[in-house]
Amino acid sequence: MRLQLGYIPLCDAAPLIAAHEFGFARSEGLELDLSAEPSWATLRDRLALGHLDGAHMLAPLALASRLALSGPPSDLIVPLQLSANGNAITVSRDLWAAMAPASEDLADVARAFARVAAERRDAGRPLTLGTVHPFSCHSYQLRLFAEAGGLDPAAFRTVVVPPQHSVEALARGLVDGYCAGAPWNAVAVAAGHGRIAALGCDLAPDAPEKVLAVSARLDGATLPLVRAVARAGHWCADPNNRADLVHRLAHRTYLNLDVDLIDRAFRSVAVLDAAGATRPMPRPLDVGARVQEPRVEAVHWLVAQMRASRQIPQDSRPEVEAAAVFRPDLYRAAMAL
């Protein structure tokens, strides 16, 4: 069976890419046609309208799509979580210089950011920060970063920038910073355009990042696809396969980037600036077995973030309907075969 799957050029698309490139899908009787999509909104719409059978998707967006909070009505379900961690907030060199935090500690950096953001707001020149989509852990991590410094997130502007265009937006001064997934923070750092200010894994450790979202109409193809992608995720998470993985992701067909910039996503040390400053990354990008089963706790966290971000009314209670989107039963059935 041939399936059309969409993805955004990010390191956490690795399980889908590996499933196709290293034979995991073929061993399940599947042929995958992978389509790099220009934005999360386009991917969402193509999946909802039936142009894609499944996709590498933002966990909050998958939920919002099914709950009719974003895009066309959708029948999608989530039988597999693809990743956790991997995000960072990168700011321009000028903004980092203005912040001049007392230390690398998250609280000090957040307070320094809050001070500059408040000054710019009061001067009528609010900061502009990029996020990949309103319904994303990136948006929630920007809010959590502001709150960690005692700042109302309304003090700065937020604009949507697809992750693969975030570095260019920063270089051109269209944004003062952004939150994106790997490898796009490392790319900005290596090019000398920005400085990593905060790691997503410090702001929201192990938050559900990307998921495999599939149309409910797949029916009999769902379990083989889940099994293929999950097995590929296990392979990706094995350090012995790291070199093969990053070289394949680096190919122009996929991320078209230097191997070292992709490899940084999987390391336990983050490179923060072009001068080579580093700090420990306690939770690097994880695409392995530990994160794969969709969990009700993740759904509750996502709904709480939507509520805190005023994306749903404070008195709404969509938890039961939301939990029906995340399908651990399908994951367990797939892995039991």
Side-chain angles (χ1 to χ4, degrees):
M1 177 179 289
R2 184 172 293 275
L3 299 178
Q4 304 285 330
L5 301 181
Y7 72 97
I8 296 292
L10 290 158
C11 290
D12 55 21
L16 259 67
I17 294 170
H20 171 62
E21 289 284 327
F22 295 103
F24 295 100
R26 196 164 293 113
S27 70
E28 298 291 341
L30 302 175
E31 292 292 336
L32 305 184
D33 292 329
L34 301 186
S35 172
E37 301 296 332
S39 70
W40 289 115
T42 301
L43 181 148
R44 173 204 63 201
D45 292 352
R46 282 172 50 78
L47 181 57
L49 296 173
H51 300 297
L52 296 172
D53 298 305
H56 155 252
M57 196 174 198
L58 297 161
L61 182 57
L63 199 54
S65 179
R66 183 61 187 267
L67 296 178
L69 298 172
S70 180
S74 169
D75 68 348
L76 68 82
I77 55 175
V78 172
L80 176 69
Q81 183 173 312
L82 294 176
S83 68
N85 306 315
N87 296 344
I89 296 173
T90 297
V91 299
S92 69
R93 291 180 300 173
D94 287 347
L95 176 52
W96 181 258
M99 289 165 55
S103 77
E104 292 287 347
D105 183 77
L106 176 61
D108 284 339
V109 175
R111 281 192 293 265
F113 171 80
R115 172 180 52 79
V116 176
E119 290 170 353
R120 288 282 299 269
R121 174 200 59 199
D122 294 344
R125 298 180 295 108
L127 294 173
T128 300
L129 299 182
T131 184
V132 303
H133 192 276
F135 287 99
S136 68
C137 288
H138 312 73
S139 292
Y140 307 148
Q141 287 164 0
L142 284 174
R143 193 197 80 246
L144 292 168
F145 183 54
E147 292 173 351
L151 180 71
D152 183 343
F156 55 84
R157 297 176 61 239
T158 304
V159 297
V160 172
V161 182
Q164 65 271 36
H165 300 307
S166 53
V167 179
E168 180 185 3
L170 187 70
R172 293 175 57 191
L174 301 178
V175 296
D176 298 292
Y178 61 83
C179 186
W184 300 108
N185 300 287
V187 173
V189 164
H193 298 314
R195 213 274 190 188
I196 292 178
L199 300 175
C201 62
D202 289 336
L203 292 160
D206 293 334
E209 186 52 44
K210 305 304 188 306
V211 297
L212 175 66
V214 301
S215 169
R217 67 181 176 276
L218 275 190
D219 196 23
T222 299
L223 296 189
L225 177 62
V226 170
R227 193 160 50 247
V229 176
R231 289 175 54 222
H234 298 174
W235 183 90
C236 293
D238 186 338
N240 294 321
N241 300 323
R242 183 68 41 76
D244 288 342
L245 173 64
V246 298
H247 277 86
R248 197 61 57 97
L249 293 177
H251 193 272
R252 67 175 182 271
T253 305
Y254 299 114
L255 272 64
N256 193 26
L257 290 171
D258 183 83
V259 167
D260 178 69
L261 297 179
I262 295 171
D263 189 58
R264 290 185 191 185
F266 302 97
R267 299 177 192 167
S268 58
V269 174
V271 179
L272 303 177
D273 61 23
T278 62
R279 58 160 294 189
M281 184 155 55
R283 291 178 172 87
L285 175 63
D286 191 347
V287 296
R290 186 180 69 88
V291 304
Q292 289 182 342
E293 182 174 332
R295 290 180 168 84
V296 172
E297 295 83 0
V299 174
H300 291 167
W301 186 85
L302 291 172
V303 170
Q305 299 309 308
M306 291 177 181
R307 188 174 290 117
S309 301
R310 298 188 175 90
Q311 293 174 330
I312 57 176
Q314 294 297 310
D315 59 353
S316 69
R317 293 291 179 268
E319 283 85 354
V320 173
E321 186 179 359
V325 180
F326 280 52
R327 297 290 303 274
D329 58 315
L330 293 178
Y331 172 78
R332 293 169 190 162
M335 301 311 290
L337 296 177

